[in-house]
Amino acid sequence: MRAEVAENIGKVLAEMPQDVIGQVIAVRGTVLEIEIDGGAPAISTAVRCRLEDGAWVTAIVMSHLGLSRLRAIAIDSARGLRVGAEVQSDGDPLTVPVGPELLGRVIDLRGRALDGGAAIATGHRRAIQQLPPAATERTSRSEVYETGIKVIDFFCPFLKGGRAAVFGGAGVGKTIVLTEFIHNAVDELQGLAVFAGIGERSREGLELWEEMERCGVMKSAVLVFGQMKEPPGARFFVGPAALSVAEYFRDEMGKDVMFIVDNLYRHVQAGMEMSGLLGRMPSRVGYQPTLAADIAAIEERITSTNRGGMISVQAMYVPADDYGDPAVTHAFWHMDSAVVLSRDVATEGYYPAVDPLSCSSKALDPAIVGSRHYEVVEEARRVLGRYEELRDVISMLGLDELGGEDRVLVARARKLRNFLTQPFFVTESFTGTPGCRVSRAEAVAGVAAILDGRCDGMADEELFFIGPLPGVQGE
């Protein structure tokens, strides 16, 4: 009964007439120019434009063209919108419903249900654009968050309360790694999870939803989607909307929140499209001049506070495998941990296709992971780095031309590369290999055993796509 009453109240509020403030004077795609009666509202204000059939197009004020004229970007399709259409606004920014009523649901950036369920009934709403928490409210942690993926936990451990990103080009497995992370997090999920699907394909969104239902984690999660078919305004603002949902759980309910983004680059792409539509001069490589600010507006809000914690894992597409791309470098600056997926590694059949020598993490410090873990990582990097130097020599002259020490090193490097592969739970259905989870201690112990020569008598194939190293206990 209470839910029905709340839903009816929400419908009444939505149908209440708002102030008529002006009319549409130009429509250019999803960019609207609006003439305002009595002075333009503030930037970020939400306005609604009436279609002839009585439906509404919602837009957000992006710039002022004069005292009574503004330019807004529509977050709905502007098809059918005509010059002279009535414009209404209550003067408030765009908001999204928040609260425990969202748990288990799939919504868009305005809180409309995408899962075929009933309308969201909640009495709380929050503006999608928020300022980051003040420095005095932020907290930092120096605890490692184990993902169960051994190559990540070993070379690039995540921090609780930190920001981590999975960088990679098209088709190298970013979404698979992200989905496996979610799967492994289910057992230890003490708080809540919010997923932001920015520019997500319908197929990808459905697969994620089904996987989370299968894992039993949807009851503690909210999925917020801005699909690829939607206008750039909808795709650009879905990330901030999902963050507002996560921030409510963190700040008002005191929960630890896992915030997952797929894909941050599509947020940048949507901003680039919007920038072009708004007539702004492009910057480097055609990106919007506000690229750094657009990424920072998302990343600086992702932090733990004295009211609750937040850990974020984000996928970041690397265009044309160019890690010097401005969008990639700007995103990299904000990350505590960066997992780099390599096309060369994927081509050789090693999955997850992580390039250990390119990954980085602030957690890889003796004071955080311990001196043993740090020392084994340094030795593993030395061995793998030397192996990369010798690969051209081996391909041209053969392994027999190397010295005895280098031959031993190459053999151990190959075993190490095989050991760093791992069968995933989320790929069981199409690989036929049962997934497994490996603790950080088991990963460190396995790598140490290989580097110490305790596996020299094993065939390389025995270490390919296994979990923990047989017979070796975590230290």
Side-chain angles (χ1 to χ4, degrees), residues 257-422:
V257 182
M258 183 183 299
F259 185 66
I260 303 151
V261 180
D262 188 10
N263 185 302
L264 183 62
Y265 186 78
R266 296 194 189 120
H267 174 76
V268 173
Q269 272 187 317
M272 183 165 50
E273 292 176 46
M274 283 175 46
S275 181
L277 290 169
L278 292 168
R280 295 170 179 163
M281 186 70 69
S283 183
R284 289 176 57 200
V285 201
Y287 286 113
Q288 61 269 43
T290 56
L291 173 63
D294 289 347
I295 294 177
I298 289 275
E299 300 300 336
E300 291 304 310
R301 290 172 61 183
I302 302 173
T303 183
S304 295
T305 70
N306 48 28
R307 288 169 286 182
M310 185 181 291
I311 180 174
S312 175
V313 182
Q314 307 167 43
M316 180 69 182
Y317 168 69
V318 179
D321 293 336
D322 178 13
Y323 285 88
D325 185 89
V328 176
T329 55
H330 278 88
F332 188 87
W333 294 338
H334 292 278
M335 300 303 164
D336 298 305
S337 302
V339 180
V340 177
L341 302 184
S342 166
R343 190 169 306 281
D344 292 338
V345 176
T347 301
E348 294 182 58
Y350 295 101
Y351 291 99
V354 176
D355 181 358
L357 300 178
S358 299
C359 295
S360 66
S361 174
K362 294 179 181 177
L364 205 56
D365 184 295
I368 298 175
V369 298
S371 57
R372 173 62 172 165
H373 185 167
Y374 181 79
E375 290 167 1
V376 176
V377 168
E378 288 296 294
E379 178 62 14
R381 283 180 171 167
R382 185 192 71 81
V383 169
L384 291 174
R386 179 60 179 163
Y387 174 61
E388 290 299 320
E389 294 172 1
L390 294 172
R391 293 186 71 173
D392 287 341
V393 175
I394 296 170
S395 63
M396 290 186 293
L397 302 178
L399 188 61
D400 293 336
E401 295 300 316
L402 299 179
E405 184 179 339
D406 281 341
R407 284 200 298 272
V408 171
L409 182 144
V410 167
R412 291 177 182 175
R414 287 174 172 172
K415 287 181 172 59
L416 178 57
R417 295 185 76 198
N418 281 359
F419 176 66
L420 293 175
T421 60
Q422 184 173 341

Side-chain angles (χ1 to χ4, degrees), residues 196 198 234-244 259 267 298 301:
I198 304 176
R235 286 179 274 123
F236 183 77
F237 289 110
V238 69
L243 254 177
S244 292
F259 185 66
H267 174 76
I298 289 275
R301 290 172 61 183

